[in-house]
Amino acid sequence: MQGTAIAQPNIALIKYWGKRDVERNLPAVGSISVTLRELYTRMRVEFDESLGADTLTVNEAPDEIMLPRLASCLDEVAGVDRPRARIASTCNFPIAAGLASSASAFAAVTVAAAEAAGKTFDIDTLSSLAGRASGSAARSILGGFVELQNCDDAIRCRTIKDAGDWPLSVVVAITEKGPKAVGSTEAMEISRRTSPFYSSWVEQQQEDLDTARSAIAERDFEKLASIAEHNCLKMHSIMWASRPPMVYWNAATMRCLQTVRQLQGEGIGVFFTIDAGPQVKAVCLPEHVDVVEASLRSTAGVADVMTTGLGEGARLEEGA
Ligand code: PMV
């Protein structure tokens, strides 16, 4: 009645922003991401008939904040009449700060809960279950370059290139360690309802997905850089033009973008992307990772830098 799984967060290069079905948490657009290697969430789920309520610890401290969402994820995986569970999460990077901690958390808990419940699911079912809890978590079920497609009434995730076939690096510049002010679910709904740019975002997404997919197939870094930066800035433009406006950036975020532009001017293979938070993720060619890391580290306002390669999808932990 227990299972332990590990999952890595993923960073979207072509973003998911907006839901077409809030109830079932279905995204309005497809997306393409890379699963990371060095950052992880480990989730242990133990069902216990003698427990009166679900419990959660995050890095060994009791936590009430994530518990309701994790508990409903367990209901989806194991059924509402499941025994109560002891959930223990460990995470080696800041939580809820725009570093996709929900993606790795919900991918890991889905796989761990299926094991604890003695259920075997195929990849599509695991992605859909994780995606119901957090849209981006569906992509962390898989490794490498992952595309999430919107199908008729569901989602479908596929690895479109393995991590080893194009081993890019990602340098994450942390400009603020605290949790973000507005969660992505709420922010997406504000965008959908109020941003004048939202409908063109949805209309243009297929074109951006097609461009990124072919850039990845051809391993064309310049082409991927150009479409990923464009797609990221479009997503943030939607947020800026919403009412109330949502600006996740701080001054250091902007300085990191200038650092990336300067490196690009020097011929370094790097591009930026930013999610619903102030951190800047710089995707780069592995031969340029040292200079990218050093430049971001010395950018004013950067509190910390984490460097990672691309990794595999969520999996059960051996021997746990
Ligand atoms: O999965 P959520 O609800 O945390 O939404 C994630 C949204 C972005 O990170 C901003 C974009 C993405 O595709 O991951």
Side-chain angles (χ1 to χ4, degrees), residues 222-245:
E222 295 298 316
K223 186 166 161 183
L224 185 60
S226 159
I227 193 65
E229 289 189 351
H230 172 67
N231 188 267
C232 162
L233 293 175
K234 253 192 321 198
M235 180 184 79
H236 285 275
S237 305
I238 299 169
M239 301 179 194
W240 286 36
S242 295
R243 292 191 157 187

Side-chain angles (χ1 to χ4, degrees), residues 12 15-17 102 134-136 139 184 188 235 275-276:
K15 309 288 191 188
Y16 146 52
W17 195 252
S102 65
S134 162
S136 56
R139 300 184 308 237
S184 52
M188 283 181 199
M235 180 184 79
D275 292 301

Side-chain angles (χ1 to χ4, degrees), residues 27-256:
V29 290
S31 52
I32 292 180
S33 61
V34 282
T35 303
L36 306 181
R37 189 176 55 210
E38 273 81 11
L39 317 187
Y40 66 82
T41 303
R42 174 184 289 107
M43 282 277 182
R44 182 172 193 277
V45 174
E46 184 185 6
F47 291 121
D48 184 340
E49 302 283 359
S50 71
L51 281 179
D54 296 318
T55 63
L56 169 67
T57 56
V58 176
N59 295 333
E60 289 174 15
D63 188 300
E64 292 293 318
I65 298 167
M66 280 281 276
L67 185 56
R69 280 179 75 194
L70 286 169
S72 19
C73 186
L74 297 190
D75 290 346
E76 295 280 348
V77 175
V80 282
D81 52 356
R82 65 176 172 85
R84 298 302 99 193
R86 220 172 268 117
I87 313 165
S89 163
T90 19
C91 186
N92 72 341
F93 60 99
I95 293 171
L99 280 175
S101 57
S102 65
S104 50
F106 288 108
V109 84
T110 300
V111 173
E115 171 75 2
K119 297 193 173 190
T120 310
F121 296 121
D122 61 16
I123 291 290
D124 288 341
T125 312
L126 284 173
S127 298
S128 301
L129 287 165
R132 283 199 74 138
S134 162
S136 56
R139 300 184 308 237
S140 272
I141 293 292
L142 291 160
F145 293 78
V146 177
E147 177 164 7
L148 183 151
Q149 288 174 329
N150 257 330
C151 306
D152 291 341
D153 195 30
I155 55 155
R156 188 174 155 227
C157 289
R158 287 290 173 266
T159 293
I160 55 174
K161 190 174 278 298
D162 288 330
D165 290 341
W166 199 17
L168 300 180
S169 299
V170 181
V171 179
V172 183
I174 299 172
T175 63
E176 212 171 275
K177 289 195 171 169
K180 57 193 170 199
V182 190
S184 52
T185 298
E186 188 189 345
M188 283 181 199
E189 273 308 282
I190 295 173
S191 298
R192 188 183 60 78
R193 282 190 278 102
T194 68
S195 180
F197 305 151
Y198 182 78
S199 56
S200 19
W201 158 259
V202 175
E203 273 160 35
Q204 287 172 18
Q205 186 78 344
Q206 197 52 48
E207 210 176 307
D208 290 6
L209 287 166
D210 293 344
T211 307
R213 198 184 310 107
S214 74
I216 292 164
E218 296 153 15
R219 286 188 282 196
D220 183 336
F221 190 82
E222 295 298 316
K223 186 166 161 183
L224 185 60
S226 159
I227 193 65
E229 289 189 351
H230 172 67
N231 188 267
C232 162
L233 293 175
K234 253 192 321 198
M235 180 184 79
H236 285 275
S237 305
I238 299 169
M239 301 179 194
W240 286 36
S242 295
R243 292 191 157 187
M246 290 163 296
V247 179
Y248 284 105
W249 302 7
N250 59 32
T253 311
M254 198 64 218
R255 280 195 288 267
C256 288

